[in-house]
Every structure is written in structure tokens, then in C-alpha cells.
Amino acid sequence: MPRDFWAPLRALRARVTASLQTRVLLLTVAVFVVVSLPAYVAFEWIVRGTVVKLGTLFAEKQVLFDRYRGLEALMREVSLAETLTRSPVVLAWATDEADPAKAAVALAELERYRRSFQDHSWFFVVHASGNYYFNDHEGAFAGREFRYTVRSDNPRDGWYFRTVADGPGCRLNVDRDDNLAVTKVWINCVVADAGSGRALGVLGTGVDLTAFIREVVAIPQVGVQSMFVDRSGAIQAHRDPGMVDFHSLTKDTKAKKTIFAQVDGDDDRAALAAMMERLVAGRNTVESRFIRIGGKDYLVGVGWLDRVGWFNVTLMDVDAIIDRELFAPIAALLALIAGAAVALMMVFFRRVVLDRLGRLEAGIHRMEAGDFAAEPDPRPDEIGRLSRAFARMARKVGDHTATLETTVAERTAQLRRLAERDPLTGIYNRRGVIAAVEERRAPGARDGDPLGLLLIDFDLFKSINDQHGHHAGDRVLSEAARRLESVLRAGDVYGRWGGDEFIVVAGEASETALRRLGERLIAAIAGTPVAFEGGDEARVSISIGACRIAAGEPLDAALARADAALYAAKRAGRDTVVVHDPRGDVPLSA
């Protein structure tokens, strides 16, 4: 292999390394590629949302179109049958079937309606006797309209008893005559007493649905399939006769051919059932949503035909209805805009960033060297040169600044210790305690819980100095500070308030907690005698006045209440703790 095989790659690498502009260009292209992926996903999402919106509007229009396109004849038959159920002569015959005069008048009325019915046929079942009367389109049974008697134990008569059980109104029952290749829907309307609502019988007619299915359900539409189902979801009209559920009124639910059986998932079945319930309740005129049927997502539109008790269901393949290639010009335009944005960004970057960095670099070199000569650099990267120039300057200024800040910090710490620490005990003095408490109570401090204040004073401290000398008093104060620290928690503030007085600001704020803390302090300080040089020792005791520091209360006010409690402790015989009563001015004795 020739030795200079890698030379072009090294030259390319050197060029990329030496030029920030090239690297930014490559980075921009890479970012553009990375951003393009979610942008494509977002574009697809927008396209799908648009398609869904258009498909939903199409579904609603299609459902309404199917509702009124071929149902006029069927609705007319239902209206005629409903009108016949309210005929006075029919009602009179149903209540007194044995009266020949009433029968004759009623049969004449039924015959008149037979000529108005599309099928030119009628049937009537008198509920009291179960007698079934019928006449066909040829009038072949005129004068002998009675055909048979329905019985509850005959499965073929189940349609009648089911219709009566469902109450007033009309029910549709689809049947198919395979011999004649004719599909019929029977309109069964309940005849009821106007006053009591008691069922007097069922009458109706039949409608040939063969033409309806051919003109409405089986009409060829790309990506659209229509069907009609009843309240239970049983398919009543479909372009495939094998999908129609005949005798739906008398079938068990599990044996019916329903729209729910076509749906793939339980969630979609539940959603479809909820859509149908809302339509029956009258909340909407049309409902639509995507449902997976046969492994494919269909936009399903549903409308409720309250007069006949059917739903018209339209399945739409949105991808077949709306061509996604219509959005291709938009995608091309977006890609062109993105490419133009990359080019403009590079021009902007060169003029606004690179040129300014070059001028700034030259100025830094002149300022650093004291003249206008440029200092050579082994790497020609613009940002690299600038960073090294700033690093040299920062290093020089930083050395001086660090030394100065260290000295200032040490001196500040020394001064603060001198200002806030008691030289005898090494703990906070009055100034240090006030500063620490204010910091703890400052707005935004993490510890926002109520605080407790304990003011501590030695009992008969002067007698210690009188008996053992002032050095003994100093020894007692130093030992007391050490014992205070052993009892208190890390977050508690304590210090020497002045003379033989100490102060504690603790996180324990309840009366019980303050009393217990005071008792522990008394036990710690007075429990063991304080030993002096030379073998002498003295037993000391303290009195404590405590109170709660209310939120926002000035420290001076709390000190006044703690001092009153301390005075009460002294009056109570010393060597005790008294907590100030927050409900009044009288301290509570421990």
C-alpha cells in the first residue's frame, strides 16, 4: 500500500480541524438530519390529524346521507303502521273481538291501509285471544283473515311476545325468503289502550328490503361500507346477505350476528357500545371514532334512527378516501425551506461570529504583547486561539485575585471571630448570638420552624468569686459553656449573653419541649461539681427562664418575656426552669 494513501484523509481532517466554519457546517447538517426525524414524525402526525378531521367530517355527512337517502319509504311504512295502531275501530275490535260489527269495521279499516302499504299486506294479533289475522298483497285471504293462534310455547311465535314485552312503539324484525331471494323487514307495532297503556295486540306489515339494500347499503363507494344494526348490534342490512342477522327478536344474544363480533378489541367494542348509548340518549346526532376491524383501523360513523330503532353504521377506510400524496408538495416545500435556512444560518454565522472573533483575537494579542504583532499558534482554530489568549490573561489576573481574596477571607474570618466570639468561653457573644438568630430567622431560610428561647443565669455566682477567687468564676463559665454544648443539638444557637448569663435559641418550641430542655441543662451544669486548681471544687446551680419566639416577633420582645420567666425562677427558689405562659403575663413554673 502506498505511503501517501491516507494523505487525502489527513488533509481533510486537518482542514476540518483548522476551520470552525467547516465544523459548524458539518454540525449543522448533522443537526438538520437529526431534527428531520422528529420533524417527519410531526409532519406525519399533522397529516394524520388533518386526514382524521376531514374523515370525521366525511363520516358525519355520510351517516346523514345514508339516513335520508333510502329510508324514506321505510319511515313512511312505520308512520302508517303507527297511525293504524291509534285507529278507534281497531282499538274497539281489540277490546271486543267477538263482536261481528266491530270486526267488520276493523277489517275494512285494515284493508284500506293494506292498499296504502308498500307491500299491500297486513297482519294483526289480538292479545286477548292470540288470534293472528293476515291478508297478503293479492287479497287472497279476504273473508278468511284469521290464520292461526300464537302460543307462548311455540318458538316461531316468540317475535310476538317479545314485541309485547318491549312495550309501546314499533319494532323491526328482518327475515329473508331464500326461495324468492327476497329480504323483508317486518314492522311490528304494539296496539295499546290509550288510558292504561295495556297491550291490546300487535299489527303491522312487511317491507321488501331487497331494493333498499341494493340502492343504499350495497352502493359502490371507494373506501365506504354501510350497514344497519338494531339496539343489540345485530346486523339488519348489509351488502353481504350472509352477514344479516335474521329473526333478531327471538334469537339469543350470543347467537346473533352483531357488529361487535366484527370489532377486534374489547376496548373498541366498549367504545362502540358507548357511542350507541349516547346516540340513543339524544346527546349527539352523529358519533365517530377510529375502531380496529379485521386488523385495520376504520373511521366508524354511527347515527340513530329512533323511529325504527336502528343504527346506521358507516365504515370508512380513510387512506382509501383521502390520498396522502396531496400533502407531498407541502413536504417538499418544508424541505426546501429547511435547506435555505441552513444556508442562511451559515452566512449569518460567518459574518456575525467568525469575522468578529478574528478581530477580537487580533486585539487581544496586541493588548497582551504591547504591540500589533500577531503571536503564532500551532493550531489555527479560531476559538482555540481566542481561548488560549483569554487563558493567559485569566491566569495572570487570577493569580493576583486569588491571593487577594485569600488574604481578605482570612482577615474577615479573624475579625468576625473577634467580633462574635467570647474570648473566655470560645462560644458566641451577644453580637454573635444575635447575628446567628437573625440568619436562622431570615426569609428563605430552610429552617422555618418556631424557635424557643432560654435565658440562663447562675445562682449566687458572686459567692463563687468571693470564696474561690475570680479565676474560679472564669473556670465555672468555661466549664458551663462546654456542658451546654454537650446537651444541645447541632442546629441550636447558644452563647454568653453577658457576665454569668447564657442564652440558648433552640428548635424545640413547645412548652413541654422547652421545659425538658431546661431540665437537661440544669442537670448537665449542676449535676457534677466544677473542679479548680489545687483540688478545690464547687457545686453550682442555674435558673432558666424560657419562652417561645413567635413568628415575626422581635428578639427583644422575646428576651423580655424570657427575662420575666427567669425572674420568676429566681423567686421560686432558683435551680429551676420556668416557661413563660404565651396566653398571659404570668410565667408557668416548672
Side-chain angles (χ1 to χ4, degrees), residues 213 217-218 225-228 235-241 243-244:
I213 293 175
V217 180
Q225 179 180 340
S226 299
M227 69 183 74
F228 291 84
I235 300 174
Q236 303 296 291
H238 196 279
R239 67 176 60 180
D240 181 4
M243 298 292 295
V244 177

Side-chain angles (χ1 to χ4, degrees), residues 70-200:
L71 291 179
E72 292 182 0
L74 184 60
M75 296 300 296
R76 174 182 174 276
E77 298 300 297
V78 172
S79 297
L80 282 174
E82 286 182 337
T83 303
L84 186 57
T85 61
R86 295 188 293 271
S87 173
V89 296
V90 173
L91 292 172
W93 184 35
T95 55
D96 189 6
E97 184 183 6
D99 188 333
K102 293 180 179 178
V105 175
L107 288 172
E109 180 80 351
L110 290 168
E111 281 297 307
R112 185 169 65 86
Y113 271 83
R114 180 178 70 83
R115 289 186 291 271
S116 299
F117 285 135
Q118 178 183 342
D119 194 56
H120 300 300
S121 65
W122 60 266
F123 71 88
F124 181 35
V125 182
V126 179
H127 187 68
S129 63
N131 292 335
Y132 181 95
Y133 298 86
F134 171 76
N135 200 0
D136 63 9
H137 66 286
E138 296 178 351
F141 300 100
R144 47 193 183 91
E145 289 85 355
F146 171 71
R147 307 309 305 156
Y148 63 91
T149 302
V150 298
R151 300 194 312 272
S152 60
D153 57 351
N154 185 359
R156 292 178 57 86
D157 298 333
W159 64 271
Y160 170 75
F161 296 99
R162 177 63 183 272
T163 302
V164 172
D166 286 343
C170 294
R171 312 289 184 273
L172 302 185
N173 187 28
V174 178
D175 192 7
R176 176 175 174 79
D177 189 332
D178 293 327
N179 295 323
L180 300 177
V182 173
T183 302
K184 273 196 175 184
V185 57
W186 291 99
I187 301 173
N188 307 322
C189 297
V190 177
V191 180
D193 182 75
S196 63
R198 178 173 56 90
L200 301 178

Side-chain angles (χ1 to χ4, degrees), residues 493-511:
V493 178
Y494 62 99
R496 184 180 177 189
W497 196 242
D500 61 324
E501 276 191 336
F502 288 79
I503 188 172
V504 174
V505 179
E508 300 169 316
S510 67
E511 296 175 7

Side-chain angles (χ1 to χ4, degrees), residues 182-461:
V182 173
T183 302
K184 273 196 175 184
V185 57
W186 291 99
I187 301 173
N188 307 322
C189 297
V190 177
V191 180
D193 182 75
S196 63
R198 178 173 56 90
L200 301 178
V202 174
L203 62 77
T205 184
V207 178
D208 184 357
L209 283 186
T210 305
F212 170 74
I213 293 175
R214 182 177 63 252
E215 296 174 3
V216 178
V217 180
I219 186 172
Q221 286 183 273
V222 178
V224 179
Q225 179 180 340
S226 299
M227 69 183 74
F228 291 84
V229 303
D230 64 8
R231 287 286 297 271
S232 65
I235 300 174
Q236 303 296 291
H238 196 279
R239 67 176 60 180
D240 181 4
M243 298 292 295
V244 177
D245 184 74
F246 302 117
H247 308 292
S248 298
L249 286 178
T250 58
K251 274 188 179 179
D252 182 75
T253 303
K254 297 181 180 178
K256 292 182 179 181
K257 298 177 182 178
T258 66
I259 181 63
F260 300 109
Q262 311 301 315
V263 178
D264 291 352
D266 292 336
D267 292 341
D268 283 341
R269 293 190 190 96
L272 180 58
M275 291 166 59
M276 296 167 70
E277 289 299 324
R278 288 193 294 270
L279 289 170
V280 173
R283 299 178 188 174
N284 297 306
T285 304
V286 178
E287 293 235 358
S288 61
R289 64 162 287 163
F290 276 93
I291 293 178
R292 195 164 188 81
I293 299 175
K296 184 176 180 60
D297 289 332
Y298 287 91
L299 184 59
V300 178
V302 184
W304 168 239
L305 310 174
D306 54 343
R307 294 290 302 278
V308 297
W310 280 4
F311 296 95
N312 57 313
V313 180
T314 303
L315 309 184
M316 282 157 288
D317 185 353
V318 176
D319 293 332
I321 298 173
I322 302 176
D323 189 359
R324 288 177 177 265
E325 292 184 359
L326 296 173
F327 298 94
I330 299 177
L333 178 60
L334 292 177
L336 181 62
I337 293 174
V342 172
L344 291 174
M345 185 178 69
M346 291 307 303
V347 173
F348 177 80
F349 180 79
R350 178 175 180 80
R351 293 187 176 183
V352 177
V353 179
L354 294 182
D355 295 345
R356 293 173 64 190
L357 284 178
R359 293 192 294 269
L360 179 61
E361 180 188 15
I364 291 174
H365 287 316
R366 290 193 298 270
M367 180 183 65
E368 187 180 40
D371 56 23
F372 297 97
E375 181 181 353
D377 191 275
R379 296 181 63 185
D381 181 272
E382 295 88 350
I383 300 298
R385 293 192 296 268
L386 180 61
S387 64
R388 284 188 292 276
F390 269 117
R392 286 191 293 271
M393 294 177 60
R395 203 177 302 120
K396 294 177 182 179
V397 176
D399 293 339
H400 294 291
T401 302
T403 302
L404 180 61
E405 288 179 349
T406 302
T407 303
V408 171
E410 291 175 353
R411 296 292 176 84
T412 302
Q414 292 175 359
L415 291 174
R416 184 169 184 176
R417 283 194 297 271
L418 291 175
E420 298 182 354
R421 293 287 173 174
D422 177 58
L424 175 64
T425 61
I427 62 177
Y428 281 133
N429 58 14
R430 181 187 293 262
R431 182 194 300 270
V433 169
I434 293 175
V437 172
E438 288 178 350
E439 181 179 356
R440 183 166 180 175
R441 300 181 71 194
R446 290 187 305 170
D447 188 359
D449 295 331
L451 302 176
L453 174 64
L454 296 94
L455 201 58
I456 304 169
D457 184 69
F458 280 85
D459 298 328
L460 304 176
F461 185 79

